[in-house]
Amino acid sequence: AMEDAAEELDAVLGGRGWDVGDGYDGTPPPTGPVRLGSSACYVVLAVLFNEEDGVLLVQEAKPECRGKWYLPAGRMEPGESIVAAVRREVKEETGLECEPLTLLALEERGPAWVRFVFLARPTGGTLKTLQEADAESLQARWWDGEPSALPLRAPDILPLLDLAARYRRSPPHPPTLPQELPCALLCLRLLAAFASGTGDLWVLLSAAGTPRLPVVACGTDPAEIRRGLCQPVLRLLRGCLPLDPPVGPLGLLGLQHRAGGPGGADGVCFNVLLSILPHSPGDGPPELRDPAFRWWRVEEEGLKGRILQRLRGASTVPIRS
């Protein structure tokens, strides 16, 4: 059975994803599938550079920010894959075709509003001019000056441009793209690891049925949604670990979504990595209070090395709340 867990770990670490199934851990999952436009809003945003290191910017046409500049961005539509939404938004707003290369960041204001930030490269098309202005945008241009010198729709794109520039210089994580796997709910699959001072490594597994990585569903009630993606993770860990476990930051290893999944659902499974930090100088992981979970000691050196490298190098896609 541990071979299944090793295979799942390998897939999740490689950004390939793994079928969610319908086993959720912790509190009972929320009722009803997630639907775009009613219970969730997903936004895509793309950072593109040309050969001269100019960044692709769009002049807004919307009345509330008309004439201001921004990165190509917009809402995903029901029935659309995340990558298809990036291509469509870039095409509508800038006239260019593009190929997403990697996720740069995941931004969330609670599970009901998520923005997927991509680094992409132009692959064709022609830059939209003022003569082609429409309801999507007035024009697009490659800008090689300081973006802050332009009247921006919002300054929230400046840290994203920094992330993109850093990724191009020296990628902190492997290219990470959404995997087409259906998911009814918004949920997180946890690779929760405990590394001892002596170099041993344990991973938390759900012991119900076949051992697997725990999957926790995000609730859909307004209070929970305001508290963001970390909330269900912390609740699960508080339920199975003694005391209040010190937990490292969440990092994204990959995500899974298929448009129009079961019952028309638009759920996303975020595969996240986090470390459980030692409470005391002992060498083993904290004892578990809940028999639904167990620690699995990772003996295989290759797998152990990969998990430790991702943990220590912060080599995951940042999640910004």
Side-chain angles (χ1 to χ4, degrees), residues 212-261:
R212 57 173 175 79
L213 293 177
V215 175
V216 53
C218 298
T220 47
D221 68 277
E224 170 133 334
I225 279 168
R226 279 197 296 278
R227 289 196 294 265
L229 286 178
C230 293
Q231 191 60 31
V233 175
L234 290 173
R235 194 172 51 223
L236 177 90
L237 295 175
R238 281 176 190 142
C240 69
L241 293 169
L243 301 163
D244 208 359
V247 175
L250 280 189
L252 187 73
L253 292 164
L255 55 90
Q256 305 172 191
H257 167 266
R258 182 184 287 157

Side-chain angles (χ1 to χ4, degrees), residues 80-215:
E80 200 170 38
S81 76
I82 300 173
V83 163
V86 176
R87 292 194 177 117
R88 176 184 55 76
E89 282 295 345
V90 170
K91 178 77 175 157
E92 286 174 356
E93 296 193 347
T94 73
L96 300 185
E97 312 280 346
C98 78
E99 188 56 49
L101 301 170
T102 183
L103 264 169
L104 281 176
L106 180 73
E107 300 180 308
E108 54 115 353
R109 297 177 202 156
W113 188 95
V114 179
R115 183 160 76 171
F116 304 98
V117 179
F118 285 88
L119 179 65
R121 65 184 181 88
T123 55
T126 50
L127 211 53
K128 187 183 221 175
T129 62
L130 272 171
Q131 285 72 48
E132 299 159 294
D134 58 19
E136 299 295 338
S137 66
L138 301 179
Q139 61 172 325
R141 64 184 289 191
W142 294 105
W143 177 258
D144 51 13
E146 253 327 298
S148 52
L150 288 170
L152 297 179
R153 174 179 134 192
D156 65 338
I157 62 172
L158 297 173
L160 301 178
L161 291 172
D162 287 342
L163 264 183
R166 279 212 304 277
Y167 190 93
R168 292 173 80 213
R169 280 198 305 275
S170 158
H173 56 81
T176 307
L177 289 169
Q179 301 299 301
E180 294 242 347
L181 283 165
C183 186
L185 304 174
L186 267 164
C187 60
L188 298 103
R189 176 187 275 117
L190 310 186
L191 202 177
F194 179 93
S196 74
T198 50
D200 289 313
L201 181 76
W202 287 264
V203 166
L204 187 68
L205 294 182
S206 174
T210 310
R212 57 173 175 79
L213 293 177
V215 175

